[in-house]
Amino acid sequence: MKKPLLTLFALILFLTIHAQESQWYKGNLHTHSYWSDGDEFPEMIMQWYKDHDYQFVALSDHNVIPEGEKWKTISKDSLYRNAFQKYLEKYGKEWVNYKKDEKGLQVQLKTLEEFRPLFEEPENFMIFKAEEVTSYLEDKAVHMGAINIQEVIEPQDGNTIVELIQNNLDAIREHGKETGQPVLQHLNHPNFTYAIKAEDMMQLDGERFFEVFNGHPHVNNYGDSLHNGTEQMWDQVNIAYHAEEKPLLLGIATDDSHHYHKFGEKYSNAGRGWVEVKASELSPAEIINAMENGDFYASTGVELSKLEFKNAQLSIVVKEEENVNYEIQFIGVKKGSTKSEILKKIKGLEASFQLPDDILFVRAKIISDKIKKNPYREGDTEVAWTQPVRRK
């Protein structure tokens, strides 16, 4: 009888270990360093995010991943020379390889393989190997996040914006198939140089994620008198995706951080936008799987304690912050309509929306009256966006 008992015990232990409850993980999927056009060493950047309670970060420099030998010439500006001294003091001369020659002060950048062990801890902090695949068509910019890649993905060409996006999207997806690893791809800041219209995104095959919010000052999140903002674009694209029975487009928020020493509205700083992902564990596969399932929300500060879509009802509970007021808006599209509208709004911490048959899809936006510290635009308050959902 001992063997069956041992087998039963092993089964119970296995189920206990693997039946972990999902939890929320905070992460930024768009980050730059000295490896491309950021102004800080990757170790200092990772330490900032870890110190500010992020659980994962994608270091996504332009058309490069942190591998091989790369030297950075440090600006003579005292701000950046002092920053180098802080880096040197923190990590020491045995870690920092630098030299002075006719080019000035040069520092060899550490690779991901070298600095990753300094920060990663199970269930505490993880670094995605990533790249911002960057292409241009004349003066129009197309940037795409490729998360959890194994090697550099070369940017693709195209004769039109749609073709350019699709070719890069296909290259990123093909990389995932070839490596056998889950890869998350997202279309970045469509209103940067006003390169991408909702009509362009409607024509894409396989686009699942885009940046509804990006913290860079030049990305035009809110549009202008001639261009729609990213939220309007989001709903327009999903009207088309719904009609074509495609998976709905999901929205992320990111920092797109470049500047770590100068702060303000005209700089791209850390801490402006992120995602909160509900996953069973902190691993590339589980984070990506949860996001593909829509188990996440985007935020610039508002936190949720409950987010559930069950029996065609979207339910939300906001994590209360003292002396802060909240409005929960349910935004959706009615059958036959060509635009989204606020279907219901509640002032308070808790709200739900029962999705009727005549609504194509609904998402929630939670708006606080707390002024965002170091905002994307002056006067911005902290907000959060849930993902669009629809009846099965």
Side-chain angles (χ1 to χ4, degrees):
M1 293 296 292
K2 287 185 177 180
K3 190 172 182 180
L5 286 173
L6 287 173
T7 303
L8 179 61
F9 176 78
L11 178 60
I12 293 171
L13 181 62
F14 176 86
L15 292 174
T16 301
I17 291 171
H18 290 270
Q20 300 177 23
E21 288 190 10
S22 296
Q23 59 181 304
W24 293 105
Y25 297 100
K26 179 180 179 179
N28 179 41
L29 294 169
H30 194 164
T31 317
H32 294 280
S33 74
Y34 270 146
W35 276 91
S36 63
D37 56 348
D39 68 1
E40 182 61 286
F41 298 97
E43 302 98 301
M44 302 296 278
I45 296 168
M46 293 303 110
Q47 190 65 60
W48 186 94
Y49 280 104
K50 191 170 184 179
D51 288 345
H52 287 78
D53 298 323
Y54 287 70
Q55 282 76 55
F56 63 91
V57 175
L59 187 61
S60 54
D61 281 304
H62 295 280
N63 295 337
V64 68
I65 54 179
E67 291 182 343
E69 184 174 331
K70 180 179 177 66
W71 291 78
K72 175 66 181 179
T73 301
I74 306 301
S75 168
K76 293 181 180 179
D77 188 314
S78 61
L79 183 68
Y80 300 103
R81 289 299 176 95
N82 290 337
F84 165 72
Q85 287 300 321
K86 291 179 181 178
Y87 172 62
L88 183 61
E89 290 169 10
K90 183 173 180 62
Y91 290 99
K93 291 185 177 181
E94 291 185 0
W95 175 265
V96 181
N97 186 20
Y98 67 99
K99 61 186 178 183
K100 295 180 180 179
D101 57 21
E102 66 279 0
K103 295 181 180 179
L105 174 62
Q106 295 190 69
V107 185
Q108 185 177 8
L109 301 181
K110 294 298 183 181
T111 65
L112 178 60
E113 183 179 356
E114 288 176 304
F115 66 76
R116 191 178 231 168
L118 300 181
F119 304 101
E120 291 196 322
E121 298 177 55
E123 290 303 301
N124 187 35
F125 194 78
M126 179 184 73
I127 304 172
F128 275 114
K129 183 184 287 188
E131 173 192 354
E132 185 170 17
V133 183
T134 305
S135 301
Y136 292 88
L137 181 62
E138 297 176 348
D139 61 340
K140 302 298 184 183
V142 172
H143 297 181
M144 305 178 77
I147 313 300
N148 198 41
I149 58 175
Q150 306 305 307
E151 59 188 30
V152 170
I153 298 173
E154 296 297 330
Q156 304 298 301
D157 295 324
N159 295 316
T160 66
I161 286 293
V162 174
E163 187 177 296
L164 187 63
I165 299 171
Q166 189 68 59
N167 289 345
N168 281 289
L169 192 160
D170 291 344
I172 295 169
R173 290 197 298 181
E174 185 61 30
H175 175 85
K177 292 177 183 177
E178 290 176 353
T179 62
Q181 298 297 316
V183 173
L184 186 144
Q185 175 274 329
H186 56 87
L187 182 62
N188 294 345
H189 44 57
N191 274 347
F192 179 54
T193 68
Y194 288 114
I196 303 168
K197 299 180 176 63
E199 290 77 10
D200 299 324
M201 297 165 67
M202 292 174 189
Q203 299 177 58
L204 299 175
D205 176 30
E207 187 61 75
R208 289 297 317 285
F209 302 92
F210 94 120
E211 290 180 336
V212 65
F213 176 89
N214 177 298
H216 196 290
H218 300 146
V219 300
N220 303 301
N221 289 322
Y222 306 146
D224 60 18
S225 60
L226 299 176
H227 304 89
N228 286 333
T230 51
E231 273 198 78
Q232 294 170 294
M233 296 171 70
W234 190 11
D235 294 332
Q236 290 166 355
V237 171
N238 275 333
I239 291 171
Y241 280 11
H242 179 85
E244 296 173 23
E245 298 184 349
K246 293 180 179 180
L248 295 178
L249 183 68
L250 307 179
I252 68 174
T254 70
D255 282 341
D256 195 359
S257 49
H258 287 72
H259 307 116
Y260 304 91
H261 308 294
K262 295 180 180 179
F263 303 93
E265 191 176 326
K266 64 180 181 178
Y267 300 105
S268 183
N269 300 141
R272 286 183 175 160
W274 58 85
V275 290
E276 295 271 0
V277 183
K278 194 173 188 180
S280 59
E281 66 177 22
L282 184 61
S283 69
E286 291 304 317
I287 293 295
I288 291 174
N289 181 61
M291 292 190 68
E292 288 178 342
N293 290 334
D295 294 330
F296 73 99
Y297 64 92
S299 181
T300 66
V302 171
E303 292 185 77
L304 305 182
S305 58
K306 178 183 177 181
L307 173 58
E308 181 180 74
F309 184 59
K310 187 176 181 180
N311 298 325
Q313 180 170 278
L314 180 59
S315 302
I316 291 167
V317 178
V318 181
K319 188 179 291 185
E320 185 176 12
E321 189 171 346
E322 190 175 357
N323 298 321
V324 178
N325 300 302
Y326 303 89
E327 180 174 279
I328 302 171
Q329 299 178 350
F330 293 96
I331 301 167
V333 178
K334 295 178 180 177
K335 284 184 179 179
S337 178
T338 58
K339 63 180 181 179
S340 59
E341 58 185 286
I342 298 174
L343 303 170
K344 179 182 178 180
K345 56 184 178 181
I346 299 290
K347 291 188 181 297
L349 299 173
E350 187 172 351
S352 62
F353 184 86
Q354 187 70 41
L355 192 61
D357 291 335
D358 65 341
I359 299 298
L360 302 184
F361 59 85
V362 67
R363 60 181 175 84
K365 181 177 183 180
I366 303 92
I367 305 170
S368 79
D369 62 3
K370 180 181 179 182
I371 297 296
K372 173 70 176 176
K373 182 180 179 181
N374 188 15
Y376 162 77
R377 285 289 180 270
E378 185 178 352
D380 281 357
T381 62
E382 295 183 347
V383 300
W385 300 264
T386 72
Q387 302 312 312
V389 291
R390 58 186 170 185
R391 282 181 170 271
K392 294 184 179 179

